[in-house]
Amino acid sequence: MDSTNVWFITGASKGLGLALTKLILSKGHKVVATSRSLESLNKSIGENNENFLPLQVDITSDPEVKDAVNRSIEKFGKLDVIVNNAGYSLVGSMEEVTDEEFRQTIDVNLFGTVNVIRAVMPYLRKQQSGHIINISSNAGYVGFPNAASYNAAKFAVIGLSEALFLEAQPFNVKVTVVAPGQFRTSFMNEGSLTFTKNKIPVYKVAEAEAMWRSFSGQQIGDPQKLVNILNDIAQIANPPLHLLLGPDTYELITNHRAQEKQEIKTWKHLTLSTNFD
């Protein structure tokens, strides 16, 4: 019996996705890697690897995603680990961000993940196995100023992961949602980090842009350790549903939860006052 796993990784041409693709291939497993740029995938990995299937896919297109999954099954016969990694961040206040900008952020960061899940679940359900790993962010647990569209998408990824976890359990399909903090990938670079075009000076997005750009290459998180952990959790019988990665994320989210708990307690008298007398 073939003991190798087949991974399906979106956003695989750079950053976390590329590092994970290289790691999984180095361990002798098979990888279906998707990107908007087939040339970038081939340049980064090489074209003559029988364990590697690079696919140019617009993950916001449901037909393209379904075709990619079908081609993956035709090539490798199964799928074992699905990593929904593709995404980008838009910096801009609610007032500044255009309808087009907001919707595009949601399309890529949320509906791309939704499209992949809908396409792979029939196969995972029938084979009674599999592990879906959704990459969210600490911005999926804590709101940040000038990041509402990204917050909205990443909060939604956590919510849908919790629902999927319950839906997929009867079919032995595991679900993990990962919230990384600051890791030294290309996420702070052009293309992954974008800024609203219609800047209103009082929101100081120009200053925010300079600040975020300055973080590039200075992040404290080691991306190799991150992808090693993703590989490890894909091998265990009972992986976590929620996985926070990075001391910065742990501190941010635990502090935020403590503040939420206190606020809920403070207003408990109103919360419990709503039933008929």
Side-chain angles (χ1 to χ4, degrees), residues 106-248:
I106 300 298
D107 280 346
V108 174
N109 290 289
L110 175 58
F111 282 103
T113 293
V114 171
N115 288 340
V116 171
I117 291 169
R118 285 191 302 216
V120 301
M121 271 305 296
Y123 296 101
L124 303 186
R125 175 168 49 80
K126 289 174 184 175
Q127 70 188 24
Q128 294 283 301
S129 67
H131 190 176
I132 297 173
I133 300 175
N134 296 326
I135 305 299
S136 182
S137 166
N138 52 27
Y141 293 90
V142 180
F144 293 102
N146 297 323
S149 64
Y150 188 67
N151 281 139
K154 292 304 186 180
F155 267 73
V157 167
I158 290 169
L160 74 85
S161 297
E162 290 188 352
L164 181 64
F165 172 81
L166 298 173
E167 294 172 0
Q169 266 186 332
F171 312 110
N172 196 37
V173 176
K174 304 174 183 69
V175 178
T176 298
V177 60
V178 180
Q182 297 296 321
F183 283 82
R184 200 169 299 176
T185 69
S186 59
F187 190 75
M188 294 293 181
N189 298 347
E190 195 72 36
S192 294
L193 184 65
T194 62
F195 298 85
T196 185
K197 296 179 176 62
N198 302 321
K199 294 181 176 65
I200 300 172
V202 294
Y203 288 109
K204 300 181 179 179
V205 171
E207 289 89 334
E209 180 172 354
M211 179 186 71
W212 285 105
R213 295 288 189 210
S214 72
F215 291 161
S216 182
Q218 305 299 315
Q219 302 97 318
I220 61 172
D222 182 346
Q224 197 58 49
K225 290 182 178 179
L226 189 158
V227 297
N228 286 339
I229 289 172
L230 296 184
N231 175 63
D232 290 344
I233 66 166
Q235 314 304 321
I236 61 179
N238 295 300
L241 168 56
H242 294 271
L243 179 62
L244 311 183
L245 289 181
D248 55 334

Side-chain angles (χ1 to χ4, degrees), residues 2-7 24 28-31 78 80-81 234-235:
D2 186 1
S3 61
T4 61
N5 286 330
V6 180
W7 290 60
I24 300 306
H29 296 294
K30 299 168 183 177
V31 176
K78 63 172 184 171
D80 297 297
V81 185
Q235 314 304 321

